[in-house]
Amino acid sequence: MYDLYDHYVDLEYWEFLLSFLYVVILYFYFARQKNLMLRKFPEYRFFLGGLFAKILGGVAYGLVYTYYYDGGDTMGYFYGANTLANLFVTDPGSYLRLIVQGNTPENFGLFTMETGWPFQYMYDDDRTFILMVLLTPLCLLTFRSYMVMTVVLASLSYIGVWRCYRSLVRYFPTLDGKFAIAFLFMPSVIFWGSGIVKDTFTFAAMCWLIHYMDRWFQRGERGPWLVVGGLLSAILLIAIKPYIFMALLPAMIAWVYYERIIAIRNKLIKYTILPLGTVLMLGASLFLLDALGDRLDKFSLDKALETIVVSKEDMTRAHAYGNNFFDVGELDESWGSVLRASPVAVNAALFRPYLWEARNVVMVAAGAENLWLLLLALAVLVKGYFVGAFKMLVGNPITLMGMAYSLVFAFVIGISTPNFGALVRFKIPLVPLFVCACHIILFLLEKKRELEGRGMRFDPRNYIKGDHVGQEARRKLASR
């Protein structure tokens, strides 16, 4: 039974039984896929484990918000999607009008006592309304069950995550286990990115976009479905969380074109083109973001500074997130104050809350994961003697893309979200790429040490397209 005022859903026993049946069906389907692919692609040994981790993450998220927090926005999304589903069943014409015309004040009158009403604040928010629209078909397919919808949504979103994981494994096959931890088994990612929330959709969309970009620009594949898939992924990001797209776009442009520039062996030409190429890439990014100004709304370039300051103040006052605050310093709507606070913001987004800053069970888990991230980053810096790590970072397109996106995204959320309760959820899109970039740098440092130990010269340009030795072994295995 749903409580209109507490956002509470009382889960019924039949939901757990039906969810279990769905999991069994999913197991047989995904297990068949694993068995077909495992002999050729060793990374498929993580396929089922990643799926079940995703499902368990979504179920755990639902149970925590049902029985620990006594409700939350996730219940509001579920209830709103149910009202849209009821409208579709009782009056398809009104439902079509709502979808075409959008969440206008007039269209709120389409809902009746028979359909129920979505929460007004969720209906009025364009980004939340889009999420409810996307969830509506799942309501009908899952018998309006919160838990069954969670299982199905987690499974569907897992496909995009898996595709992105495999896209990166193709470059460094020997790091498939470490990449699996980054994408499939990071606790924060599977918990905050698997339930009925915006983050599940946006994380999957980000993964799909990277996958499509890799296939089109790096593998040279062509096909209308790649364009459609990439555009849909970008549209979904812009519609729900535009700042993810804003941080990812310049990083992907660098990934696509920097590989061509760094492969140039003539130093005169390269160091002439490199600054020019960097300026052009930044210019192209700014042009595209400016062109999307209306779509980005308050996240557009001309409103970004105001949004950062307002978001920081709102989060500081928000009682819903608890009292786990940190201070990035005073922001006075000038880019100077924002940039001065950037080191504190980036550190907070990547590595805080520290374990001793945790105030509840969820924050303790986040603190433990952040400690692991901090140790991983320190290992990169220490083993690379800082300068060596930086050379490996800028010398490989994938590490450049992953780290550039992670740092920019960390700055964006760290500067605008001085609250640990929100920060640990907002940061999940950066975690897998940050972890993968760190492991690639450690891999390249190890290769450098091996070659120099044998009196050979290490050239990072040989790894621009990844680990060629591992790729060759993977091709031989796939050809059998």
Side-chain angles (χ1 to χ4, degrees), residues 138-335:
L138 288 182
C139 278
L140 298 172
L141 293 173
T142 59
F143 308 100
R144 294 179 173 83
S145 163
Y146 178 87
M147 193 54 63
V148 178
M149 185 192 294
T150 296
V151 171
V152 174
L153 178 60
S155 305
L156 291 175
S157 64
Y158 176 69
I159 298 173
V161 178
W162 177 257
R163 291 292 182 89
C164 186
Y165 160 71
R166 290 202 67 210
S167 293
L168 295 188
V169 167
R170 189 177 69 87
Y171 291 97
F172 293 93
T174 55
L175 297 179
D176 59 351
K178 293 179 171 61
F179 287 0
I181 293 174
F183 275 94
L184 311 180
F185 302 115
M186 288 297 291
S188 64
V189 176
I190 61 177
F191 181 79
W192 297 106
S194 303
I196 302 176
V197 284
K198 294 177 182 177
D199 306 274
T200 302
F201 285 88
T202 53
F203 180 59
M206 182 199 78
C207 289
W208 275 115
L209 183 57
I210 294 173
H211 169 73
Y212 285 126
M213 288 287 288
D214 174 60
R215 292 181 64 180
W216 183 277
F217 289 101
Q218 310 293 36
R219 302 192 213 177
E221 298 181 18
R222 295 294 181 266
W225 61 92
L226 297 179
V227 177
V228 173
L231 287 175
L232 288 177
S233 302
I235 290 170
L236 188 59
L237 284 176
I238 294 171
I240 300 179
K241 288 194 173 184
Y243 56 88
I244 298 179
F245 180 78
M246 294 177 69
L248 185 60
L249 177 62
M252 289 195 302
I253 292 177
W255 176 36
V256 169
Y257 290 104
Y258 192 64
E259 176 182 336
R260 279 75 171 172
I261 296 173
I262 203 172
I264 299 173
R265 295 185 177 272
N266 187 299
K267 291 185 178 181
L268 178 61
I269 297 176
K270 180 164 71 173
Y271 291 119
T272 300
I273 293 178
L274 183 58
L276 179 61
T278 302
V279 171
L280 290 175
M281 285 187 287
L282 290 175
S285 301
L286 292 174
F287 174 79
L288 288 173
L289 293 175
D290 184 62
L292 292 169
D294 292 338
R295 296 288 183 182
L296 298 177
D297 191 23
K298 65 180 181 179
F299 297 100
S300 61
L301 294 178
D302 58 337
K303 298 179 182 178
L305 185 58
E306 178 185 353
T307 300
I308 287 173
V309 176
V310 172
S311 298
K312 175 183 179 294
E313 293 174 351
D314 288 346
M315 285 291 180
T316 303
R317 291 192 298 264
H319 298 293
Y321 289 108
N323 298 314
N324 296 318
F325 297 104
F326 63 93
D327 187 15
V328 298
E330 291 295 326
L331 302 180
D332 56 10
E333 294 196 23
S334 70
W335 283 110

Side-chain angles (χ1 to χ4, degrees), residues 410-471:
F411 163 73
V412 171
I413 62 171
I415 202 71
S416 60
T417 316
N419 182 291
F420 294 137
L423 190 63
V424 295
R425 176 165 60 90
F426 293 166
K427 71 184 284 185
I428 66 168
L430 73 83
V431 173
L433 292 178
F434 178 77
V435 173
C436 288
C438 287
H439 280 303
I440 294 173
I441 293 173
L442 289 173
F443 171 84
L444 295 176
L445 290 171
E446 184 61 31
K447 289 295 180 182
K448 180 176 184 294
R449 191 173 294 110
E450 289 179 6
L451 290 174
E452 291 180 348
R454 290 185 287 173
M456 302 171 65
R457 181 176 176 272
F458 174 81
D459 188 348
R461 290 175 297 185
N462 293 331
Y463 294 87
I464 287 177
K465 293 186 177 294
D467 175 20
H468 50 282
V469 176
Q471 291 170 2

Side-chain angles (χ1 to χ4, degrees), residues 343-357:
V344 177
V346 171
N347 174 70
L350 290 176
F351 309 122
R352 294 180 70 183
Y354 303 125
L355 270 175
W356 57 87
E357 295 175 318

